[in-house]
Amino acid sequence: MDRSAAPGHVVTSRLTRRQRRRVSQGIQYAIFVAAIAAIGFLADWDRLQNQFAQKDLAKELFPDIITTALRNTVVYTLSGFAFGLVLGLIVALMRLSSVAPYRWVATVYIEFFRGLPALLIFIFVGVAVPLAFPGTQIPGGTYGKVALGLGLVAAAYMAETIRAGIQAVPKGQMEAARSLGFSHPRAMVSVIIPQAFRIVIPPLTNELVLLFKDSSLVLFLGVTLQERELTKFGRDLASQTANSTPILVAGLCYLLVTVPLSFVVRRLEARAEKAK
């Protein structure tokens, strides 16, 4: 006699953990495919192509979008990153200083510039600085203003990153350097800081990607035609042509730089994980 058929006996069928995981993944894939299909069927692709993908208009953007807009974007980013890196290192060392006023100043700087939107910093650099110091010109004109604006924001984040990197270096490294006759400043410069930078290269590279995108705020400083970066270049041409193709091409130029940099960040993070 089949015991499973006996009165009062309940037959239950339970899925294993692996089977439940497969069912869950199947449902998620189905939802994803359904969403993509819905977008494909519901979107007006002809209208989108007409507004964002005019080939003839896209061709007219070259080579200026590369030789002027992309070049300026890269210059703005690198100058802001260089200034921010130097200032961030100084602030990080102040943050770790045994002198209390240095720590207070560094803490206030970090909290202040991390708490404000980058847009307000650019407005401050472009408007408040000339008003506060009449007749004073920031060296480098627009390029100097951008380096200052991006650098002030980046330094606040880099300072905390560098500080964490310095604290991640084993204390025995400083003790070994001091036992060899190094002074504390020399040990920091020759031993600790180089090791800290090897640790923080991935997050600093990620900060470079963020700065590259934040360079679009340059348009609030008022730039000439030859000083335009990608976003300003795309917006101006879109307004002139009443078409959004220039904005799409400008976005692709951003991806041309940010995607490889993001790949580098992932590789560096993977290498750092393997080194642990």
Side-chain angles (χ1 to χ4, degrees), residues 57-70:
L57 180 55
K59 291 179 180 178
E60 295 177 3
L61 303 178
F62 295 88
D64 290 345
I65 195 170
I66 300 296
T67 58
T68 299
L70 181 58

Side-chain angles (χ1 to χ4, degrees), residues 194-217:
Q195 293 186 59
F197 269 98
R198 283 197 291 271
I199 295 172
V200 301
I201 282 178
L204 288 182
T205 307
N206 191 55
E207 183 64 31
L208 181 62
V209 175
L210 296 177
L211 282 182
F212 187 77
K213 294 183 290 184
D214 285 343
S215 65
S216 61
L217 297 173

Side-chain angles (χ1 to χ4, degrees), residues 2 15 22 26 29 37 63 81 107 116 125 142 152 155 177-178 183 200 203 212 227-228 245 259 270:
D2 188 359
L15 297 177
R22 289 179 177 176
Y29 279 120
F81 183 82
T107 300
L116 288 178
V125 170
T142 300
L152 287 174
R178 295 301 299 273
S183 63
V200 301
F212 187 77
E227 295 172 340
R228 291 181 297 179
T245 299
V259 170

